[in-house]
Every structure is written in C-alpha cells, then in structure tokens.
Amino acid sequence: MNKPQSHGSPEDDLRQSDDPSIPNDGLLQDTDPSGRAEASTIGTDPPTKVCPKCSVQTTTFGSFCPNCGSGYDAQRRFAKINKRAVFIVAAVLIMVASGIGIALTLQHSNQVNAEQAAATASAEASKKRDADDAQASASAAAAKQAADASERKRRQSIVTALEDSVLKDAQSRVTEGILTGPITLASCTPLGGGSSDDLTAITGTFQCIAVNKTNADGSSSGYRFSATVNWNASSYSWHLGS
C-alpha cells in the first residue's frame, strides 16, 4: 500500500513511525508552517489547493501554502469580510434611503401645506373682494334709490306749484269775469309720458282742470288748462284751453 505524499517541502512530509512509543492508528498528519497538524484518513488522496496569495498550486492536506505560508482559508475569511462589508454598505444605503425618503416626505408635506395655505389665503381674499363688491353694489343701489326718491319728490313739488299757479290764474279770471266761479281747486294730470315718476323724461305735458263744480256722484267739472313742465330747469308754463 502506497503512503500519501505531499508535493510541498520535504520537511512537511510525515512518515509512518516504527517506534512502538508512537501510536500507529492509521492516520497521517500534515504539518503546516504554524506548527499545527491536520489529520487525514489513510488512503484518501490529498486535495489540490491554490494559494490565494501567491497562486501556487499544491496537493496537500495542509491549511497553509508551503510556498509563502499564507492560509488557504484566507478566501473564506475574505468572503466573510466581504459579506460583512456588503451588510454594512446595505445598512448604510438603507439608512440613507430612509433619510432621503423622510426628507422628501417632509418636503412634500411642507409643499402641500404651503399650497393649502396659499389656496386658503386666495379663497379668503376672493371672498373678501366679493363681500366688498356686494357691499359697494348695495351701497350704490341704496344711494340711487335715495337719489331717485329725492328727484321724484322734487318733480312732484313742481307739479304742486303748477296746480297752485293754475288755481290762482283761474280765480283771477273769475274776478275779471272771464270765468265763472267759485274755483275751489286745480288738479293736473300727465298726458302720455313725462310724469313725475318717469325720471328718464326731461319734459312733461299735463292737462289741468280748475274745478268750479262738484257733482252729486263725486265727480268734478271746471275749466281745462294745458301745461308743459321742464324737469331739468324746474320750470313750467300753462294756458287756458286744451
């Protein structure tokens, strides 16, 4: 039966001892440069290993490269280090992403709040403008109504003055013997347009009656006068007859 051999240095080769004091249990030991020994079963071919540092290929059970002394498990340690580094980087990236997400969320929230505040302010300003416009319109309407009422009152006073003038003229004509009295009152009625209520009219035409008789049915009769009124000039004229 052939002994397993290492292609490493002659010092790393182990031989089966004939000394009875050394137990011969069927195992061979392959000593690495650190002095540690690795047991392998007799009859098992040693594996071929490639040093991760110097790249020398060696058939051995040892854990260290016989050429440079580097451990064959450096790759595993490096893999563990790589895994840890990847984990740390992933954790950092997650933290950074979370921070960015929180920052974006806050930014979006602030933007939404600002837009809502601007919309609220705009709505309140629009509401205030509408209220001011409504108040201005109401004030203007009230002022116009007051002005129209004042103008109607002024025009009615002109009609009253016209009726007084017609009454005095008719009574004067009775005194002169032209008309038959007694003349008790005078009343003027607008003809067509131009009444005191039509504020768009500049002039008005009236038919007046100087009453000298009251009938049993409550109606009146008398002498007719025709009159014209200029509202803007607050003047009027009249004459006896239609």
Side-chain angles (χ1 to χ4, degrees):
M1 179 176 181
N2 295 329
K3 298 179 183 179
Q5 294 181 354
S6 170
H7 294 279
S9 63
E11 291 79 9
D12 291 334
D13 292 338
L14 295 179
R15 296 178 176 83
Q16 184 176 0
S17 175
D18 296 329
D19 191 339
S21 63
I22 301 175
N24 186 4
D25 54 2
L27 297 175
L28 289 179
Q29 291 185 339
D30 192 0
T31 305
D32 58 32
S34 65
R36 295 181 299 177
E38 179 178 316
S40 60
T41 305
I42 296 176
T44 302
D45 294 332
T48 299
K49 300 181 180 181
V50 178
C51 178
K53 183 175 181 180
C54 67
S55 300
V56 171
Q57 181 175 320
T58 305
T59 304
T60 180
F61 287 109
S63 299
F64 294 87
C65 176
N67 182 57
C68 65
S70 298
Y72 288 115
D73 61 347
Q75 279 186 317
R76 292 194 293 270
R77 289 198 299 271
F78 183 71
K80 292 180 180 178
I81 294 174
N82 284 345
K83 288 181 179 178
R84 179 176 297 177
V86 169
F87 176 77
I88 293 173
V89 171
V92 171
L93 290 177
I94 291 173
M95 292 177 63
V96 171
S98 299
I100 294 175
I102 293 173
L104 291 177
T105 300
L106 290 176
Q107 181 180 4
H108 177 70
S109 178
N110 292 336
Q111 182 178 358
V112 170
N113 291 337
E115 290 176 354
Q116 289 178 346
T120 300
S122 177
E124 290 178 353
S126 178
K127 185 178 180 180
K128 186 177 184 302
R129 285 195 300 270
D130 292 342
D132 292 343
D133 292 344
Q135 183 177 2
S137 297
S139 298
K144 186 177 186 306
Q145 288 179 352
D148 290 348
S150 177
E151 176 63 16
R152 290 188 180 94
K153 186 177 181 179
R154 186 185 71 84
R155 293 189 178 195
Q156 186 58 46
S157 66
I158 294 174
V159 174
T160 299
L162 171 62
E163 291 173 341
D164 290 341
S165 296
V166 170
L167 175 61
K168 291 177 181 179
D169 183 29
Q171 290 175 340
S172 175
R173 291 175 187 271
V174 169
T175 301
E176 293 173 359
I178 300 175
L179 300 179
T180 300
I183 305 298
T184 58
L185 63 90
S187 176
C188 297
T189 303
L191 295 176
S195 69
S196 60
D197 289 332
D198 184 6
L199 302 183
T200 61
I202 299 175
T203 60
T205 302
F206 289 82
Q207 184 182 70
C208 302
I209 181 171
V211 178
N212 67 347
K213 182 180 180 181
T214 301
N215 301 318
D217 59 0
S219 61
S220 300
S221 59
Y223 299 99
R224 296 181 182 277
F225 288 79
S226 297
T228 300
V229 177
N230 188 312
W231 301 118
N232 290 345
S234 298
S235 61
Y236 53 86
S237 61
W238 75 95
H239 63 272
L240 180 62
S242 300

